[in-house]
Amino acid sequence: HNQILGVLTIYSAQADSFRSDEVALLEKLAQNMAFGIETRRNIIQRAIAEAATMAKSRFLANMSHEIRTPMNAILGMAHLMQRDVVTPKQAAQLSKIDSAAQHLLSIINDILDLSKIEAGKFLLEETDIVIPELINRNVEILMPQISEKGLSLRVDTEYMPSQLLGDPTRLSQALLNYANNAIKFTEKGTITIRLMLVEENAENKLIRFEVVDSGIGIDSEQLARLFSAFEQADNSTTRQYGGTGLGLAITRNLARLMGGDAGALSEPGLGSTFWFTARLKKSLVPYSPVQQISVEKNAEAILIRDFPGKRILLAEDDPINQEIAMEQLSFIGWVVDVADDGIQAVKKAQLNEYDIILMDMQMPGIDGLEATRQIRKISGREKIPIIAMTANAFNEDREVCLQSGMNDFLSKPVELDILSATLLKWLSKA
């Protein structure tokens, strides 16, 4: 290309010795050659960028799997031990293990969330949002911390919209990030949650969420960098308050994904106001609450009472996670068959009748996706509930599980109360 373009340039410089149509042809040829080079360069650069994104996504999926698998073992074992007869001292120690593991899991989730956002792999749901219900749930979560510190919590809703569409989980995540920070940095006084309508059109509403505290406040220099990842107001080695500095960065990214933004106003000693906005679609369908299985310990009791003697196939290759699931299911009084890989799962599903199959996603031989597809082809197994129970926790993992023929999706570490509630849901449907 360079040599041809060089020759064309020389010829174009001798334009006097060519006819006008020849000059025009040479210029067109030179433009096309240059365009061809630029197009190929763009294609190559785009391919490199896409390959890098895919590599990062695979790395994140693998990291999620490798971290969540042992976390499932830690939390599951602690839960099983708490259920046994233990001394008060042992109960307190197990409670500390559980709290520390939950804290570690929240950090892992924050890192993975931020990485997914940066990789362009973060997907928002679009479902019904009932703002009063969302606020009430968050207040219930916050009240134990509020009471423990002797603070007051106020909800100031000059505007309380309804019939909206968006991602209620991520809205709650953003709001709780702010509220938990406010509680952490406030020793006395009041935490206020405030909602306002910023603008409205025929299709959506831009809503502003604020969390106002009477805490220590932040100076302007620290405030300017506070929404960057891993940044905190106090980065000294003697800092009083813990945290990773990820919550605010995630909140701003979530707000921008929802068509809004995030920021803060503060002065040292005078408290802070942290805000974010979200553009939420108007729903044309009136909201009707869906009856859901309560995620309570009573789900386990209902299973024991109403569904005795069920037979379950557990497809799981990790021995510790096998033990945890078997302990839980055996406690309910069910018969549990274990498949160490996808090939065994298909064979056992072919030979035996099961009420439910719990299916890991990554296994030797064939994975859980292919095992599910093969089980669905077995006569009489077309409608058996198959529930993914996997350390692959991304939205795309959920989608491929459902597309393969699975009915539901649980990400590890699996809370045993949620497992019981999910089993109850599908047995009740059956």
Side-chain angles (χ1 to χ4, degrees), residues 156-177:
D156 180 3
T157 53
E158 64 178 60
Y159 178 71
M160 190 66 87
S162 59
Q163 284 189 239
L164 298 173
L165 295 174
D167 193 327
T169 301
R170 297 308 180 179
L171 275 176
S172 286
Q173 181 180 353
L175 198 57
L176 286 172
N177 280 342

Side-chain angles (χ1 to χ4, degrees), residues 309-313 335 337 347-357 378-381 384:
K310 295 299 179 182
R311 190 170 186 182
I312 306 296
L313 175 60
V335 177
D337 289 350
K347 288 180 180 177
K348 292 194 174 188
Q350 200 164 19
L351 294 172
N352 305 297
E353 292 274 354
Y354 294 105
D355 296 288
I356 281 182
I357 296 175
I378 300 171
S379 177
R381 308 293 186 264
I384 180 174

Side-chain angles (χ1 to χ4, degrees), residues 105-159:
L105 181 62
S106 70
I107 294 172
I108 292 165
N109 287 337
D110 282 349
I111 292 171
L112 290 173
D113 277 351
L114 193 61
S115 300
K116 281 189 286 183
I117 290 168
E118 290 177 349
K121 291 293 182 179
F122 195 94
L123 300 176
L124 293 172
E125 291 184 0
E126 188 172 283
T127 186
D128 287 313
I129 297 177
V130 182
I131 296 294
E133 290 182 8
L134 184 146
I135 297 296
N136 286 338
R137 283 197 301 270
N138 286 345
V139 167
E140 288 176 7
I141 293 169
L142 295 168
M143 278 313 298
Q145 300 175 68
I146 291 284
S147 300
E148 185 179 347
K149 292 196 73 171
L151 302 173
S152 300
L153 180 63
R154 180 185 174 198
V155 178
D156 180 3
T157 53
E158 64 178 60
Y159 178 71

Side-chain angles (χ1 to χ4, degrees), residues 92-391:
Q93 290 170 336
L94 287 169
S95 179
K96 289 174 183 176
I97 290 173
D98 186 75
S99 296
Q102 292 287 358
H103 179 64
L104 179 59
L105 181 62
S106 70
I107 294 172
I108 292 165
N109 287 337
D110 282 349
I111 292 171
L112 290 173
D113 277 351
L114 193 61
S115 300
K116 281 189 286 183
I117 290 168
E118 290 177 349
K121 291 293 182 179
F122 195 94
L123 300 176
L124 293 172
E125 291 184 0
E126 188 172 283
T127 186
D128 287 313
I129 297 177
V130 182
I131 296 294
E133 290 182 8
L134 184 146
I135 297 296
N136 286 338
R137 283 197 301 270
N138 286 345
V139 167
E140 288 176 7
I141 293 169
L142 295 168
M143 278 313 298
Q145 300 175 68
I146 291 284
S147 300
E148 185 179 347
K149 292 196 73 171
L151 302 173
S152 300
L153 180 63
R154 180 185 174 198
V155 178
D156 180 3
T157 53
E158 64 178 60
Y159 178 71
M160 190 66 87
S162 59
Q163 284 189 239
L164 298 173
L165 295 174
D167 193 327
T169 301
R170 297 308 180 179
L171 275 176
S172 286
Q173 181 180 353
L175 198 57
L176 286 172
N177 280 342
Y178 280 169
N180 285 325
N181 273 352
I183 295 169
K184 184 193 300 185
F185 293 103
T186 303
E187 295 302 322
K188 60 181 180 179
T190 303
I191 309 293
T192 302
I193 297 174
R194 183 180 296 143
L195 274 72
M196 291 176 282
L197 177 66
V198 179
E199 62 182 51
E200 179 179 0
N201 59 36
E203 297 178 350
N204 55 58
K205 297 180 180 184
L206 184 66
I207 299 173
R208 180 179 170 112
F209 297 79
E210 290 185 352
V211 175
V212 184
D213 66 60
S214 56
I216 60 175
I218 308 162
D219 65 41
S220 57
E221 182 184 348
Q222 293 170 330
L223 201 62
R225 54 180 171 80
L226 206 53
F227 284 84
S228 302
F230 302 103
E231 284 286 352
Q232 292 178 301
D234 180 8
N235 277 321
S236 69
T237 56
T238 58
R239 63 193 178 99
Q240 179 180 351
Y241 306 97
T244 60
L246 289 173
L248 295 181
I250 290 171
T251 298
R252 172 168 281 178
N253 278 290
L254 288 175
R256 288 174 177 174
L257 286 171
M258 291 187 282
D261 207 342
L265 303 168
S266 185
E267 288 186 37
L270 298 178
S272 306
T273 298
F274 282 82
W275 62 268
F276 72 90
T277 52
R279 192 172 294 280
L280 304 174
K281 289 184 181 179
K282 295 180 179 179
S283 175
L284 302 178
V285 181
Y287 171 71
S288 57
V290 178
Q291 185 66 33
Q292 296 183 352
I293 300 294
S294 178
V295 183
E296 304 276 351
K297 292 187 183 296
N298 67 348
E300 184 181 89
I302 295 170
L303 290 173
I304 294 171
R305 185 191 68 200
D306 296 345
F307 298 95
K310 295 299 179 182
R311 190 170 186 182
I312 306 296
L313 175 60
L314 172 65
E316 168 67 66
D317 64 310
D318 184 84
I320 299 177
N321 288 329
Q322 283 181 5
E323 182 182 349
I324 292 167
M326 286 180 66
E327 284 276 351
Q328 172 67 2
L329 298 171
S330 299
F331 181 81
I332 295 171
W334 291 351
V335 177
V336 185
D337 289 350
V338 176
D340 295 320
D341 57 42
I343 295 171
Q344 283 188 26
V346 175
K347 288 180 180 177
K348 292 194 174 188
Q350 200 164 19
L351 294 172
N352 305 297
E353 292 274 354
Y354 294 105
D355 296 288
I356 281 182
I357 296 175
L358 296 175
M359 184 73 72
D360 193 14
M361 194 172 171
Q362 290 189 18
M363 292 185 291
I366 60 174
D367 62 21
L369 304 174
E370 181 57 28
T372 299
R373 285 189 282 265
Q374 292 188 24
I375 290 170
R376 289 298 184 212
K377 294 177 182 177
I378 300 171
S379 177
R381 308 293 186 264
E382 299 88 353
K383 293 185 179 180
I384 180 174
I386 301 178
I387 300 169
M389 200 162 69
T390 173

Side-chain angles (χ1 to χ4, degrees), residues 29-83:
L29 183 57
Q31 289 171 0
N32 286 340
M33 291 294 294
F35 178 75
I37 292 172
E38 191 61 29
T39 300
R40 290 185 186 186
R41 184 181 292 115
N42 290 340
I43 291 170
I44 291 168
Q45 288 175 343
R46 188 163 59 247
I48 290 170
E50 289 173 357
T53 299
M54 288 176 64
K56 187 171 185 178
S57 297
R58 285 193 296 269
F59 172 76
L60 287 173
N62 188 56
M63 284 301 297
S64 174
H65 184 273
E66 292 304 313
I67 292 170
R68 288 174 181 277
T69 298
M71 285 300 299
N72 190 64
I74 294 167
L75 287 165
M77 284 295 181
H79 183 98
L80 292 175
M81 291 172 70
Q82 284 173 315
R83 196 167 58 187

